[in-house]
Amino acid sequence: MAKKPAAGAPAWMATFADLMSLLLVLFVLLLTFAEMDVIRYKQIAGSIKGAFGFSKEDQLAGVIEMDGSIVGKALKAPTPDTPRVVAEIPKAETPKVEIDQTDSKEEKAEALEETLSTVLENMGLSDQVGLERIDGDVIVSFPNELAFPSGSSGMTEEFAAVLNRVTPVINQTDGEIHIAGHTDNIPVSSSSPYISNWDLSAARATSVLHHMIDQNGTEPSRMVIQGYGDSRPIATNDTPEGRSQNRRVAITIEMVESNKPDEAANGSAAPTGQNGEDAAQSESSTQDGPTTPEEASTTRRRTFSIPGNQ
């Protein structure tokens, strides 16, 4: 008669189970103490991006980030010895704004809006950057999260890259360019170099002005800066979402009518009477200044001067 096996698991099974548990703990510890080669990862990522190319034309060069992972943390806070691998993106051509001198202000504004919309769409920023047209004015609004760090007037690299694409398009037009800074109603901190939100908003507008002039050759005589602080909100300041919308920088391009009247004034002489009385009257009026409020309103011009580098 065959002998029945003992009840329960064999004696060696307990030893084997302990061994497997110890091996599992060992591998978990090895994985915990292991360090990912971040530099190697970024090099591979850059090579893959260079091989496959880019789906959109832009200058927002960067690297892949993974939020919450070791790679993401290393990219967001790199050490001084960590090289940064940035894919070089060829400079995109600036599209031409199809404007004729005979076009009205509204037609010029429509052409500029369409061209800027194409540029923003190619950069993938159509949902982040506001673009609207009001009669003969085109307004481009940049959220503060894209443009400036919190409490600072120093532009981010992303915002500078966007301006380098948008400004050459704006330079093809005529008329004044108004740069307006806006903030929420949260007062600046006591350690801030700015006195108030008015000061901060004006400083941000000034930073945009200098970048457009120094980096993109915008005509200084066209520029006007405005700092509104929190006086012109577009949303409620009672919620974080509303305050985020209020923190913005807006660039308004004012279109002008045809330049033919200016060209006629500069290139041809005005008709005069038989004895030159009309010319004499015109010269006298120019020297003595406008004689009526209506003439004063037509000859008044807004000017803005930019101090030179100290």
Side-chain angles (χ1 to χ4, degrees):
M1 183 177 181
K3 185 178 180 180
K4 294 182 179 180
W12 62 268
M13 184 66 72
T15 304
F16 181 78
D18 292 339
L19 178 61
M20 292 297 102
S21 299
L22 292 174
L23 287 176
L24 177 61
V25 172
L26 174 63
F27 286 118
V28 170
L29 291 175
L30 290 177
L31 180 61
T32 302
F33 292 115
E35 294 184 0
M36 182 176 294
D37 191 347
V38 180
I39 299 176
R40 180 61 178 170
Y41 178 86
K42 290 190 291 185
Q43 291 175 344
I44 295 175
S47 300
I48 294 176
K49 292 173 67 178
F52 286 95
F54 296 85
S55 58
K56 297 178 180 179
E57 295 180 352
D58 58 25
Q59 290 182 336
L60 300 180
V63 291
I64 299 175
E65 292 189 9
M66 300 174 61
D67 291 337
S69 66
I70 298 177
V71 176
K73 295 176 183 178
L75 294 180
K76 292 177 182 178
T79 62
D81 298 332
T82 302
R84 182 176 180 181
V85 179
V86 179
E88 294 293 337
I89 303 177
K91 185 177 181 180
E93 295 183 359
T94 301
K96 182 180 180 182
V97 183
E98 300 296 335
I99 291 180
D100 294 329
Q101 293 297 333
T102 57
D103 292 342
S104 63
K105 293 193 300 184
E106 290 74 13
E107 292 173 336
K108 293 179 180 180
E110 182 179 1
L112 176 61
E113 180 190 25
E114 293 177 355
T115 307
L116 289 176
S117 177
T118 301
V119 172
L120 295 175
E121 183 178 354
N122 290 337
M123 301 182 72
L125 297 174
S126 300
D127 298 334
Q128 300 183 42
V129 178
L131 179 63
E132 61 177 330
R133 174 171 51 90
I134 302 178
D135 296 332
D137 298 341
V138 177
I139 305 173
V140 189
S141 299
F142 301 93
N144 194 65
E145 287 72 15
L146 171 67
F148 296 95
S150 177
S152 172
S153 62
M155 293 190 304
T156 62
E157 294 182 1
E158 291 77 9
F159 185 38
V162 175
L163 283 179
N164 289 338
R165 292 287 300 277
V166 171
T167 305
V169 177
I170 298 176
N171 289 345
Q172 300 179 42
T173 64
D174 299 321
E176 287 187 343
I177 302 174
H178 294 250
I179 307 173
H182 302 266
T183 66
D184 56 24
N185 64 344
I186 303 299
V188 297
S189 63
S190 58
S191 60
S192 174
Y194 306 102
I195 301 175
S196 64
N197 282 327
W198 293 90
D199 190 18
L200 175 59
S201 62
R204 287 174 171 173
T206 304
S207 295
V208 177
L209 176 142
H210 282 297
H211 186 87
M212 294 178 67
I213 294 176
D214 299 338
Q215 303 298 325
N216 297 278
T218 306
E219 181 61 36
S221 60
R222 301 178 58 188
M223 311 297 285
V224 177
I225 57 173
Q226 301 164 323
Y228 290 109
D230 60 347
S231 63
R232 298 192 180 184
I234 58 176
T236 178
N237 278 314
D238 297 332
T239 62
E241 293 77 12
R243 291 192 293 270
S244 176
Q245 296 181 41
N246 293 331
R247 297 189 299 268
R248 67 197 188 279
V249 174
I251 300 178
T252 302
I253 304 95
E254 295 183 352
M255 297 291 103
V256 295
E257 294 290 355
S258 174
N259 292 331
K260 286 185 177 180
D262 295 338
E263 295 173 358
N266 296 329
S268 60
T272 61
Q274 181 176 0
N275 299 325
E277 295 177 356
D278 293 343
Q281 292 176 359
S282 176
E283 181 178 358
S284 175
S285 175
T286 303
Q287 293 176 352
D288 298 338
T291 58
T292 64
E294 290 76 8
E295 294 177 358
S297 63
T298 58
T299 57
R300 186 182 298 112
R301 297 181 59 190
R302 288 177 291 178
T303 61
F304 178 81
S305 61
I306 300 176
N309 295 329
Q310 300 297 329

